[in-house]
């Protein structure tokens, strides 16, 4: 079976999705349709070269603000996953 190749943009998007989603590597890899070892390798490389910037937890003035941020993050994650899958389909299709 031929080895799948992914663009650098796809790899960066996948690593960003992993960090932003808060999901495990296994779950993220499964959702994106990539191998766990490939995702681990991309994460390791991104840490080395500093290409991915992670966000820290913010300070929120109220529970309402915290919930709004959580929902926005959830929406962004869903939209990001859709974009990554669209790119994967265009690469494989």
């Amino acid at each position: 079976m031929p080895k799948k190749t992914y663009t650098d943009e796809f790899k960066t998007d996948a690593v960003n999705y992993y960090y932003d989603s808060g999901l495990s590597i296994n779950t993220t890899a499964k959702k994106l349709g990539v191998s766990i070892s490939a995702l681990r390798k991309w994460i390791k490389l991104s840490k080395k070269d500093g290409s991915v910037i992670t966000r820290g937890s913010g300070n929120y003035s109220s529970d309402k603000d915290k919930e709004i941020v959580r929902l926005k993050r959830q929406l962004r994650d869903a939209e990001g996953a859709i974009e990554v899958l669209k790119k994967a389909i265009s690469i494989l299709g």
Side-chain angles (χ1 to χ4, degrees), residues 56-68:
S57 60
N59 295 322
Y60 306 104
S61 58
S62 70
D63 287 339
K64 182 179 176 182
D65 290 339
K66 188 175 182 176
E67 179 68 7
I68 289 170

Side-chain angles (χ1 to χ4, degrees), residues 6-7 10-12 14-15 32 34-35 37-47 51-52:
Y6 300 98
T7 64
F10 178 85
K11 293 174 185 179
T12 302
V15 173
L32 297 177
V34 300
S35 71
S37 61
L39 183 57
R40 278 195 181 120
K41 180 180 176 184
W42 301 341
I43 291 167
K44 184 178 179 182
L45 290 173
S46 72
K47 286 180 182 178
S51 62
V52 176

Side-chain angles (χ1 to χ4, degrees), residues 1 3-6 10 14 17 23-39 42 81-82 84-89 91-92:
M1 181 178 356
K3 184 178 179 182
K4 291 182 184 179
T5 57
Y6 300 98
F10 178 85
Y17 177 69
L23 299 172
S24 69
I25 290 177
N26 294 355
T27 304
T28 303
K30 187 175 182 179
K31 282 189 170 210
L32 297 177
V34 300
S35 71
I36 296 166
S37 61
L39 183 57
W42 301 341
I82 290 169
V84 169
L85 291 173
K86 283 180 183 177
K87 289 176 187 178
I89 289 171
I91 290 170
L92 300 174

Side-chain angles (χ1 to χ4, degrees), residues 71-91:
L71 291 170
K72 284 182 180 180
R73 184 182 316 121
Q74 188 177 8
L75 175 62
R76 185 185 66 235
D77 292 347
E79 289 171 343
I82 290 169
E83 288 303 314
V84 169
L85 291 173
K86 283 180 183 177
K87 289 176 187 178
I89 289 171
S90 68
I91 290 170

